[in-house]
Structure formats: C-alpha cells, structure tokens
Amino acid sequence: VIAAYGRIASLRRAVRSALRQTIEDIEVLVVCDHVDGPFLDDIDRSDPRIRVLNLDRRAGAQYGPNSLGVRASTLGMLLF
C-alpha cells in the first residue's frame, strides 16, 4: 500500500521499487488522499499489478489511505 498526495516523482520511485521485489504474486495499491486532475493521470497504470484508488474526501492523515488499502487488498500479506 502506497499512500499518495502530490509528489509524483517520489510516488513513481516507490511504485518502481515495489514492483522490483522478489515476491512474484504482488499487487501495488496506490491510495490517493482525495486528489484529482493531472496527478491521477500521471500515475503509471501499464502494469496490471498496479491498482489506483482515491479517497472520496481528504483524510489529511496516514490512516485514511492505509485503511482503504487494507480493505481493498486481495492478497494475504500487506506492506506499507
């Protein structure tokens, strides 16, 4: 689970790092804290292991994206 609010360059690095892990059965959940427009368009979705979620309203704290990521996960192991 990668929480996101702005800082697209850092997000890209985090997603690349997650996809390079040795675990083969992986999903990378990018959970945005109520962002819109260009930021969502800039997130790479070319890899089917990447899922992008967006909170309906801004949580303003880490628990919001993390909680949504936990609920949306389809695998048995979570990493933040």
Side-chain angles (χ1 to χ4, degrees), residues 40-74:
L40 287 176
D41 296 337
D42 284 344
I43 299 172
D44 179 13
R45 300 166 199 231
S46 61
D47 191 307
R49 298 173 295 173
I50 300 170
R51 290 178 46 208
V52 179
L53 308 169
N54 194 17
L55 291 173
D56 292 334
R57 60 187 170 106
R58 182 142 161 68
Q62 191 68 42
Y63 72 86
N66 286 356
S67 295
L68 179 56
V70 168
R71 290 191 308 271
S73 175
T74 60

Side-chain angles (χ1 to χ4, degrees), residues 11-79:
L11 175 61
R12 286 181 182 135
R13 282 192 302 274
V15 169
R16 277 194 307 269
S17 175
L19 292 173
R20 285 193 303 254
Q21 300 304 307
T22 57
I23 299 170
E24 293 180 13
D25 190 17
I26 186 174
E27 68 180 339
V28 177
L29 299 175
V30 176
V31 185
C32 301
D33 193 0
H34 188 69
V35 298
D36 59 0
F39 183 82
L40 287 176
D41 296 337
D42 284 344
I43 299 172
D44 179 13
R45 300 166 199 231
S46 61
D47 191 307
R49 298 173 295 173
I50 300 170
R51 290 178 46 208
V52 179
L53 308 169
N54 194 17
L55 291 173
D56 292 334
R57 60 187 170 106
R58 182 142 161 68
Q62 191 68 42
Y63 72 86
N66 286 356
S67 295
L68 179 56
V70 168
R71 290 191 308 271
S73 175
T74 60
L75 300 176
M77 183 187 328
L78 286 172
L79 301 170

